[in-house]
Amino acid sequence: MTFQFLSIGRMIKAKVREKLLCQLATEDDESLANSLLQHLHVSPTQYRLQVLRKVVAELQKDIGKSCSSLGDRNERCSCDRMVATCEACVPLVTCPEVAPLIGTLLQRSLTCAQATLPYDFLDALSSAYNSGRLSLEDRAVVALWYHSLPSLEETVLGLLESTVFADAPPSPQQLKRQIAQSLLPKACAQHCSIFLVVNDIFRSILKKQEDHPCIRDLIQSFTSCFYRELTVLPTQTSLKAFFPHSPPNLLLPLLTQPPEASGEARTRHLNWLSNSLRRLTEEAEADSGGSGGGGVGVVFEAWFLLVQCSHWVHEAFQLLATAEPRDCHPSLWLLTFYHHPTNRGHQRNQRLVRVQQIWEQMRILFSDDHLDPGEQLRDALAVISASTGRPSPLLTLGLALNCAVFSRRSHGVSARIVCTVAAASGPLSEALRVLSLLERRLGTGSGDGPSSGDPCATSVRIRQLQNALAIPTPPPPPQQLDVTHAGYAHLSHSPS
């Protein structure tokens, strides 16, 4: 009987606080109370804020307690009071003094079914946070995404709109900064369910616009940032849980950054990756018998993982610009697969032959400064413009720009060759984008990655090529996001 009276007393006390919290959300004109406050030299606003802070502090203590339903059966579950507090907070979500209480509510362990946060509360928080009217600590923001799928989706789509689909896409350094500041990589590392949702959005976007280079850049930068956050956590979830559809034997080798050891070690690792991917795709395509089905899904997931880990694609470009001809075949196949994953019309072998011909022409063009590039350049353009098995312009640009950066040709001749090839292959803005990526990767900008050769000389050469290509081009028209949110059931309703 005594326990029941105590329980009733606590419940009444909590109800009074919740009612007071609701009253503090209004600004009723009470002349008697205002006269008393004026006599005490305290403004009504100051008084309300002081009382509000006290009420918030008391409610935080109550919310921080564990679920009482785990103890005495006769005691009413304290989670009911938590839900009532959430509802009382809805009109106060933009009030800075209530932010600590909101953070406590979001981060409270959910120990029973009654502890589920109300939809109206989460919807109000999401709207206020995304509009910039609510400031939360990082942990509270991650908890909000964990509880609210719409809030997480809106944040991911906002990142896409501000980077991939912006009128002026950010530089690689700016892209990396925007991704880190979004808190999404950290949230994904802490909660596998959040990563699965974000990855599904990227997968859906990539399926619809697989040729969009900025989408690939975003996915690669995001995955790199996420994996870096994951590796510093004290306890780590299995990689297979984060990448359930990826080939298990390729997962860690692809996520691993190119070693800073000798070039031979990087070449061996790259060749192993290329040969493994080639064997996997050929077996999957043979099993599907050209009828689609599971084989197509296996090939797509292998390619999607390669897009996420495309630092190895950049490594292949650099290797082809500096390696001997006998080392080229695995790298050429990897580049062909990366730019043409679907093998439409069974043209991958034809494209592979064409890519090798282009690469050989590039080696001749950039091999010796004493040769007149005129005739060789005409031969190279003839190969590039051939209709049969024509590779992606981005592949051709990548080969030309890497050869130009690491070649022995003089700056003037290299710039002339690059401008001609770029004009024949696609927009010059794409050539500038590729050079920015190369600059960041080689460590000559603010990015990370192993340096190659003399960093100062490489940096100067890249800047010279950027200046030669810096011709103003109109920005691309804004594109509308079209995302089919399929398979988002990964997001749990209770913390792990």
Side-chain angles (χ1 to χ4, degrees), residues 122-157:
L122 293 174
D123 184 56
L125 291 183
S126 178
S127 176
Y129 177 74
N130 290 323
S131 64
R133 294 179 295 123
L134 170 63
S135 178
L136 293 173
E137 294 182 352
D138 290 355
R139 288 182 299 177
V141 173
V142 173
L144 173 61
W145 292 336
Y146 190 91
H147 290 291
S148 174
L149 176 59
S151 179
L152 175 60
E153 287 181 337
E154 188 170 350
T155 302
V156 177
L157 295 179

Side-chain angles (χ1 to χ4, degrees), residues 1 196 326 394 449:
M1 181 68 70
L196 293 174
R326 58 184 174 83
L394 293 179

